[in-house]
């Protein structure tokens, strides 16, 4: 799978692409990430990429021409184009799963106030948000998306079961996890996990996942009960 990133800050991505799971996905050729600097497509001699908003108000708006030309430089027919914005639909595991199966998609990283609405109206195919707070740009949300899809590429995680049992994959949060030693500072690993009884272990994990979801994300539990994810 190939992800095309359009950004004004290409260097932000450097470490992400060489470290940890994303680095592994790239080394294994399961993922290709291409970074394009939107500023390279500015049409004036000062390479301007933003301007004052029509109608007044604080903040600058990203100009349409550099965005248009940079998108066209990496676009092919029917390639999904994501724009990250606090106004977007909330990014969920279901959406990540959908993007992880594509051959290619484009992410446009905005900055300043927003990008010119005409680009959103004509080229962007989906607007996504990573939560109800405001970041200064779309680079961190883009990194979130790259990481989330990278780990789902075939051959990237040692044990694909590990991805399938993550929080959110079945609509619930995950259960607690323990590793050796069996006792740490007087705290023992629950006996059931040492019992070797896989049916009992599964029941315990489901019970804990339900408990944690009820406590931290009652909204998810309601949807889970309704079978409505
Ligand atoms: N850009 C700025 N804030 C954002 C957010 N919360 N989600 C996605 N993109 C953003």
């Amino acid at each position: 799978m190939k992800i095309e990133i359009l950004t004004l800050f290409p260097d932000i991505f450097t470490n992400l692409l060489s470290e940890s799971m994303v680095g592994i996905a790239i080394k294994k050729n399961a993922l290709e990430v291409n970074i394009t600097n939107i500023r390279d497509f500015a049409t004036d001699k000062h390479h301007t990429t933003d301007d004052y908003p029509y109608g007044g108000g604080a903040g600058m708006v990203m100009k349409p021409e550099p965005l248009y030309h940079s998108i066209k430089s990496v676009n092919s027919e029917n390639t999904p184009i994501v724009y990250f914005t606090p106004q977007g639909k909330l990014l969920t595991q279901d959406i990540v799963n959908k993007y992880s199966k594509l051959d290619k998609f484009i992410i446009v990283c905005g900055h300043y106030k927003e990008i010119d609405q005409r680009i959103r109206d004509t080229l962007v195919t989906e607007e996504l948000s990573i939560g109800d707070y405001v970041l200064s740009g779309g680079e961190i949300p883009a990194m979130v998306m790259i990481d989330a899809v990278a780990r789902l590429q075939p051959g990237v995680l040692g044990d694909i079961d590990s991805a399938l049992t993550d929080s959110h994959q079945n609509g619930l949060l995950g259960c607690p996890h323990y590793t050796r030693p069996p006792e740490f500072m007087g705290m023992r690993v629950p006996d059931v996990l040492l019992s070797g009884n896989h049916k009992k272990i599964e029941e315990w994990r489901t019970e804990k996942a339900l408990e944690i979801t009820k406590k931290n994300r009652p909204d998810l539990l309601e949807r889970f009960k309704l079978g409505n994810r």
Side-chain angles (χ1 to χ4, degrees):
M1 103 123 37
K2 181 170 186 181
I3 307 177
E4 294 281 358
I5 304 288
L6 303 178
T7 173
L8 287 171
F9 300 96
D11 293 347
I12 290 183
F13 293 88
T14 310
N15 289 344
L16 176 79
L17 300 185
S18 61
E19 300 287 335
S20 189
M21 209 52 83
V22 176
I24 291 172
I26 291 173
K27 276 188 207 101
K28 288 188 167 176
N29 291 322
L31 176 70
E32 187 183 346
V33 180
N34 186 46
I35 313 276
T36 299
N37 192 338
I38 298 168
R39 197 174 297 284
D40 293 344
F41 293 83
T43 45
D44 67 321
K45 75 171 194 267
H46 300 294
H47 300 289
T48 314
T49 54
D50 62 315
D51 209 337
Y52 295 99
Y54 275 120
M60 302 291 267
V61 178
M62 277 175 72
K63 288 167 66 59
E65 307 93 317
L67 284 165
Y68 178 85
H69 292 297
S70 60
I71 292 171
K72 287 289 167 189
S73 79
V74 296
N75 201 6
S76 358
E77 220 177 316
N78 297 326
T79 304
I81 304 177
V82 175
Y83 171 53
F84 277 107
T85 162
Q87 297 171 356
K89 187 158 78 175
L90 190 66
L91 179 66
T92 59
Q93 189 63 45
D94 283 347
I95 297 176
V96 168
N97 292 348
K98 177 182 88 177
Y99 278 90
S100 74
K101 297 188 185 102
L102 299 176
D103 289 336
K104 173 177 167 180
F105 66 96
I106 298 169
I107 302 179
V108 179
C109 302
H111 245 266
Y112 314 111
K113 196 125 194 81
E114 285 283 358
I115 63 173
D116 190 283
Q117 185 63 35
R118 290 164 289 188
I119 297 296
R120 299 169 72 168
D121 291 344
T122 55
L123 292 175
V124 168
T125 58
E126 190 161 35
E127 299 196 341
L128 295 172
S129 166
I130 61 161
D132 293 338
Y133 41 82
V134 179
L135 302 169
S136 55
E139 282 74 14
I140 290 172
M143 291 198 263
V144 167
M145 184 70 144
I146 294 170
D147 185 280
V149 301
R151 59 193 295 285
L152 296 181
Q153 296 310 300
V156 172
L157 283 185
D159 178 0
I160 190 64
D161 263 7
S162 158
L164 298 177
T165 56
D166 283 336
S167 282
H168 297 293
Q169 268 307 1
N170 68 355
L172 293 176
L173 301 182
C175 62
H177 298 282
Y178 298 85
T179 185
R180 284 181 285 192
E183 186 170 332
F184 171 68
M185 295 176 88
M187 293 173 283
R188 283 196 50 78
V189 171
D191 286 339
V192 60
L193 296 180
L194 309 175
S195 69
N197 183 333
H198 293 293
K199 185 164 174 287
K200 282 248 146 38
I201 292 173
E202 262 332 291
E203 283 167 8
W204 180 87
R205 286 182 166 156
T206 305
E207 187 191 315
K208 290 289 165 191
L210 284 164
E211 235 174 79
I212 293 170
T213 310
K214 184 173 177 197
K215 178 162 167 263
N216 291 344
R217 294 292 304 274
D219 55 318
L220 291 183
L221 189 62
E222 279 315 304
R223 271 197 296 177
F224 179 77
K225 281 191 197 151
L226 296 169
N228 186 3
R229 299 177 51 204

